[in-house]
Amino acid sequence: MAEEGNNSASTGYQCTLSPDLIQKAEKELNEKAEWRNRDIQALRDMVNKNKELQIRTDDVFLLRFLRAKKFDYDRAYNLILTHFQMKKENPKLFENLRPSAVKHVLEAGVTGVLPHRDKEGRRVIIFRPGKWDPSRCPVDDVFRTNFLTISKIIQDEATQVNGIIMVMDLNGVGWGHAKNISPFYAKRVMSLLQDAFPARFKGIHYLNEPAVFDYIFAIVKQFMKEKTVNRLHFHGKNVQELTDFIDAEYLPEEYGGKAPPYSNKDWMEELLKCDAEFDEEAKYGFVSGSTINQKPGQDAMECVMGSYRKLSVD
């Protein structure tokens, strides 16, 4: 477990990447093994100079942010600031953020992860919002479940390099779900995922889009970056198109593959073991009263979205 505060030193990081992924990380992320310790220390020094920020500074943690921003120190540091500022600005979302608190969402089968990666080595999240019952579960709990899921899978180094895709099966989604997706909520979620998370989101595959989808997508799309829009795939009922991205032997039969029908039971069991881990993560962040620099009249969300649009994207 990492030490608390800004004085945590290197934890003796040992690279677990395969030779091929080491080569990929160098080509795509500017990660050079011989410079890695220097790069981590440079980011650590930046964090340590900020006395308002009390977070983990072990190698493993900082590497996530460096990889997410192609080993650009300034961009990685800004991502750290944004990540923790957004947590502070959204206390309802991040209070008691632990898997057991969203067990009801997991049990409904809303979110899970395929046991095998796609053809590009990316982890595959299966998101089925039609299984969410808005009358029994607030939309924030669905977001929290997805946040916990992504937080867990990016601990893996191969996933940090290869990235993540999401298969969004919209079967069963109707107006009862759509009315919970307000512009403010869409803006908040897209900002968190696009601008405040140390992960490489490489694609979203929509399946079984219902009539109400056009309404929902019109709200969400206005907060998507061009990079995100370019990584969207709309398959409708042609679920077999997923085999272009995921080997059929690993793809559940309802999505055009040869594997058994999808169940998130294994993922749920894995995630529910991690309460203590997420309780530990909740200890870190900005000290009380501190914020990132923002222009007068801007809320933190506008500051985050505006500043990040000026940065280059991966």
Side-chain angles (χ1 to χ4, degrees):
M1 186 174 296
E3 299 173 27
E4 291 189 39
N6 276 9
N7 298 315
S8 302
S10 169
T11 55
Y13 164 76
Q14 296 291 323
C15 182
T16 62
L17 297 175
S18 68
D20 286 346
L21 284 182
I22 290 174
Q23 187 175 20
K24 181 177 182 178
E26 179 171 347
K27 180 179 179 181
E28 296 186 10
L29 306 181
N30 303 314
E31 177 175 352
K32 296 183 183 295
E34 62 270 27
W35 295 350
R36 190 186 291 121
N37 288 339
R38 180 205 66 179
D39 294 338
I40 294 171
Q41 188 59 47
L43 181 57
R44 181 180 294 118
D45 289 344
M46 297 175 78
V47 171
N48 284 339
K49 288 178 182 177
N50 188 340
K51 302 307 179 185
E52 303 300 319
L53 192 61
Q54 298 295 316
I55 66 170
R56 289 172 54 185
T57 56
D58 55 276
D59 293 1
V60 170
F61 183 74
L62 295 179
L63 260 177
R64 299 176 195 173
F65 293 88
L66 284 167
R67 286 172 172 153
K69 293 302 176 183
K70 297 187 176 181
F71 278 74
D72 182 312
Y73 305 155
D74 290 332
R75 294 178 67 211
Y77 178 64
N78 283 333
L79 179 58
I80 288 173
L81 294 180
T82 306
H83 180 78
F84 286 100
Q85 182 64 16
M86 293 301 290
K87 283 188 172 184
K88 183 177 180 179
E89 292 291 326
N90 293 274
K92 184 180 177 183
L93 282 178
F94 295 103
E95 187 176 59
N96 191 33
L97 185 68
R98 60 207 313 255
S100 63
V102 294
K103 183 179 180 181
H104 53 293
V105 182
L106 292 166
E107 288 178 333
V110 175
T111 299
V113 180
L114 287 185
H116 297 278
R117 299 174 183 270
D118 75 355
K119 294 179 180 181
E120 301 295 326
R122 302 172 293 202
R123 291 307 302 268
V124 182
I125 296 172
I126 301 293
F127 180 44
R128 301 180 290 184
K131 292 183 174 294
W132 158 51
D133 183 350
S135 68
R136 302 181 61 183
C137 170
V139 67
D140 282 350
D141 282 358
V142 176
F143 171 81
R144 284 151 55 85
T145 305
N146 288 343
F147 189 94
L148 289 165
T149 293
I150 299 169
S151 297
K152 185 62 183 176
I153 63 177
I154 64 166
Q155 292 176 3
D156 176 72
E157 290 198 279
T159 303
Q160 292 168 21
V161 174
N162 290 325
I164 298 166
I165 67 169
M166 176 179 284
V167 173
M168 191 177 299
D169 181 0
L170 298 171
N171 186 43
V173 170
W175 283 107
H177 302 90
K179 66 183 182 182
N180 286 274
I181 312 299
S182 68
F184 174 78
Y185 183 80
K187 177 181 177 182
R188 178 172 62 177
V189 170
M190 292 311 302
S191 291
L192 281 162
L193 295 181
Q194 294 180 126
D195 301 326
F197 212 95
R200 305 184 75 198
F201 294 98
K202 306 302 289 186
I204 301 176
H205 295 262
Y206 295 97
L207 306 176
N208 301 310
E209 301 98 292
V212 74
F213 175 76
D214 289 343
Y215 168 82
I216 299 173
F217 188 68
I219 295 174
V220 176
K221 185 180 179 181
Q222 62 186 312
F223 305 115
M224 287 183 172
K225 293 181 176 181
E226 182 180 0
K227 175 187 70 173
T228 302
V229 173
N230 291 338
R231 294 175 178 176
L232 303 180
H233 306 267
F234 304 93
H235 301 289
K237 300 296 182 181
N238 299 318
V239 295
Q240 69 277 2
E241 292 178 356
L242 279 180
T243 58
D244 291 340
F245 303 89
I246 305 169
D247 285 329
E249 63 180 305
Y250 302 137
L251 193 62
E253 61 183 33
E254 65 267 36
Y255 300 136
K258 300 176 182 178
Y262 181 68
S263 168
N264 73 334
K265 181 180 178 181
D266 290 345
W267 177 250
M268 176 176 66
E269 291 177 352
E270 179 179 346
L271 197 59
L272 286 173
K273 297 174 183 177
C274 300
D275 272 4
E277 176 184 314
F278 284 102
D279 289 346
E280 179 68 17
E281 289 292 329
K283 296 178 181 179
Y284 303 108
F286 278 102
V287 298
S288 179
S290 57
T291 61
I292 57 177
N293 293 329
Q294 49 188 287
K295 298 177 183 178
Q298 280 186 311
D299 62 19
M301 186 72 70
E302 292 291 350
C303 178
V304 167
M305 295 180 73
S307 63
Y308 267 76
R309 288 194 180 109
K310 298 176 183 177
L311 297 174
S312 59
V313 295
D314 56 8

